[in-house]
Structures are given as C-alpha cells and as structure tokens.
C-alpha cells in the first residue's frame, strides 16, 4: 500500500477550521506525562497547519474509558499544557462532557487564524469506538472545514474521530507522521531494497500468524526470536522444557517452515537458548541464574527466556548484508537485565548497518529507545498494532479514509 493519499502539503488551510486527529495516547503518572515521544512526533504537522494560517483543532483518545471514574484520570488537560510549551504558543484546552458540545462550538467560533485548541479525550464520548457513532462523527465534522489524520497508532481501527469524520468532510488528508509511516512500512513491504530481512519476536505465534506468512512472501530472510521461537523449535521435534509454547500452532509452524523452503527463503531459528529455572519474580530480578543450551539440547525442567550467544552471532551476520530490515518484537524477556542480551544485540546490529531500518512499534520501539539506539534507526513506528496489520498486508481504515491524490 504505497502512498497515494493527499497530505497536508497538498492543501491550503488559511482561514479554515482544521480538525487534526493526533495520537496523544501518552503514559501519565499522577497527571505527569512520562514519555512525550508521541507529542514530539505530532509537532511537524501541527506547526505546518499553524504557519499556513489554519484554525487548528486537535483531538485524540487517551487510554480506555469504561466508567465515569475513568474520565478523571483519562483527561488530555496535561497534554495541552505540555504542547503549549513545545509549540511556544497557547494550546487552549476546551473540556466538554460531550467532547464536541456548546463549549467547543463557542471556542471554535472565536478562533483566529493560527490559534490552537485541544478537545477532551475522544473516548469520553459514547460511540467513539463503535460503528453506530454517527452522531459523534457528525458533531466532529460540523466544527471543521478540513480533516487531517496524523494518528497512525489508531489507523487500524475504524472510529468516529479518524474514519467517521473523514467520510463527512470534503477534504480529508494525512499528516506528516502518517505519511512517513506509510512510506517506510509500505515501501518495506511492497518495494524493498534487497536483501530484505524481517525479524519477528515477542511472546505468541498466534499474534503474528498472518505477519509470518505475508513476510515470507516478501522478504529474503525471516528471523524468529522471542517466546514464539520455542513453538517453532518444538515443531522441529526439539525438547523445549518449560518454555512458552503455543501447542495449537505447531502444525502452522511446520507449514511455515515448509513454505520458506518451497519459496527458497531463509527462515532462521535460534541455535542456542538462555534458560532459567523459573520465570523471574519480580520480572526485573537481576540475580536470576542462567544456563546456555544448544537448541537441540534444552533441559526438560528449565525455561528458555532469550536467544543464546551463537544465535546472536547468526542473527547479527544476517543483518550485516541486509539493505532493508523490519523488526517487530523483542528476542527475550528484555525487561530483565540478565535476559536482555539478545534484544540488545539485535538493536546494536541494526544501529551499525547502513540498511534502511524500520522498528515496528510496541516493545521493539521501547527497547530501541531505552537502549539509546533510537536516533540510529531510519524509522521507529508509533503504532504497534497498526504496523503489525500493515506488515500483514492489510489495508488500514484510517489510511483508506483519506482523499486519494
């Protein structure tokens, strides 16, 4: 799905009311934002709309709102304060029980060109996440002339504030962040510079069924790590001890290994594993004892929790010759310093290569940033679920809804 969507560069918003859907779903602790990457990522689009003289109305969801009590902790008020500082101008926060009600209509009416307001958490409004939220979609459309979607993190969901409103305005385009996501992930999957290496980790095979199958058709080498690797190793007939396993997916793993062979693709699995007696409690316990075992000689009473040193070398070598690398999912229990070596080594290998390196959001993005390798990557996706569905080859409703060029 290469980019053929209109972006903010294709329109003129001077004097117009612009509703911009951002991804301000940031972690908050006692009302303080603990990671502002998503705010920073949204700035280029917001600045463009301000400098072009639009009346900029920002909206986003924040967490899950299931009860009235949730609303108190799921307010975007702290985001308005921090955005004002980052932009160097006031972002007026307009709280409204209906998200778009009398308060918001009055505030929009008074806006001057280049001013910015922020609406309350879109999930305060019942119907935001449902297909029958037409009233909310209409309310959103009624306060804008132009809709800009810059929230890739929710692009795989068809909600009122990204898909519903887009269908009710004449001009619906994507922002710079969305454009970048589509270009990097779209080109990687549809038109990669080869050799193309895909690295998949994380806990469960089930989460990545379609991704594995789709990437085998697109990439030259598929590397498997993390908890999901043990289901593949069991499918090869190996003893995996107490390691994570998805018994219902063993046949699927056999099919994927056969598919790789028939397509002439390399499917790399761990050749050794770091094992422990019991899963660490607490998860970051640094005193845990480890045992390195070859993949065909694992202990029946131990649990595999990271790739071993031989596997690290094998995977790093595969990355060295690559021209495009996509990575989604850690190699082990990277929250534990003793079991983070595999994830660290993959991040380091990606940081050292000249290839286009794309990190598919979620835990991989967190790991890369925590380890300080973020600036060395070509692109770190802001959407874990959305990037996974993109790698599956699915069309994302939030992207489809924008106007074609």
């Amino acid at each position: 799905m290469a980019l053929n969507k209109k972006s903010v560069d294709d329109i003129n918003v001077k004097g117009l009311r612009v509703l911009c859907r951002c991804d301000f779903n940031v972690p908050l602790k006692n009302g303080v934002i603990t990671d502002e990457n998503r705010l920073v990522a949204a700035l280029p689009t917001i600045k463009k709309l301000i400098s072009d003289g639009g009346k900029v109305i920002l909206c986003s969801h924040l967490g899950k709102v299931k009860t009235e009590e949730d609303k108190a902790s799921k307010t975007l008020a702290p985001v308005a304060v921090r955005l004002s500082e980052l932009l160097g101008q006031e972002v007026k926060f307009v709280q409204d029980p209906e998200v778009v009600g009398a308060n918001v209509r009055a505030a929009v009416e008074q806006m001057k060109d280049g001013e910015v307001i922020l609406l309350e958490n879109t999930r305060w409004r019942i119907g935001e996440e449902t297909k029958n939220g037409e009233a909310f979609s209409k309310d959103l459309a009624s306060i804008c002339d132009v809709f800009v979607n810059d929230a890739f993190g929710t692009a795989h969901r068809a909600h009122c504030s990204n898909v519903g409103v887009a269908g009710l305005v004449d001009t619906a385009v994507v922002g710079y962040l969305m454009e970048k996501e589509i270009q990097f992930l779209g080109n990687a999957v549809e038109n990669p510079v080869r050799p193309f290496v895909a690295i998949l980790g994380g806990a469960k095979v089930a989460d990545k069924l379609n991704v594995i199958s789709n990437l085998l058709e697109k990439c030259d080498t598929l590397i498997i790590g993390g908890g999901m690797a043990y289901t593949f190793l069991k499918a090869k007939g190996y003893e995996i001890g107490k390691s994570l396993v998805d018994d219902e997916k063993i046949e699927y793993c056999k099919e994927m290994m056969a598919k790789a062979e028939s397509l002439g693709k390399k499917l790399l699995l761990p050749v050794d594993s770091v094992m422990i007696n019991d899963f660490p409690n607490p998860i970051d316990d640094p005193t845990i004892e480890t045992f390195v075992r070859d993949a065909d000689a694992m202990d029946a009473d131990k649990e595999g929790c990271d790739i071993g040193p031989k596997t690290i070398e094998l995977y790093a070598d595969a990355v060295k010759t690559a021209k495009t690398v996509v990575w989604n999912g850690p190699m082990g229990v990277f929250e534990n310093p003793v079991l983070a070596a595999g994830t660290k080594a993959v991040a380091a290998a990606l940081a050292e290569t000249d290839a286009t390196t794309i990190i598919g959001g979620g835990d991989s993005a967190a790991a890369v940033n925590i380890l300080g390798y973020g600036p060395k990557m070509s692109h770190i996706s802001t959407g874990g679920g959305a990037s996974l569905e993109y790698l599956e080859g699915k069309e994302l409703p939030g992207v489809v809804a924008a106007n074609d060029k």
Side-chain angles (χ1 to χ4, degrees), residues 356-372:
T356 297
T357 48
I358 299 154
I359 313 302
D363 287 337
S364 322
V368 165
N369 285 323
I370 289 164
L371 297 168

Side-chain angles (χ1 to χ4, degrees), residues 27 39 59 62 73 89 92-93 99 151 154 170 186 239 283 321 341 358 374 380 387 394 399:
L39 303 192
C59 71
L62 175 65
S73 60
Q89 76 174 75
K92 185 180 177 186
F93 180 60
V99 182
T154 54
D170 291 335
E239 169 66 62
I283 199 165
T321 56
I358 299 154
I380 300 176
S387 66
K394 283 186 181 175
V399 178

Side-chain angles (χ1 to χ4, degrees), residues 49-70:
L49 297 171
I50 292 169
S51 68
D52 284 0
K55 296 169 183 175
V56 185
I57 305 153
L58 304 175
C59 71
S60 173
H61 80 287
L62 175 65
K64 290 182 168 66
V65 179
K66 300 292 183 196
T67 64
E68 283 296 315
E69 288 72 44
D70 286 340

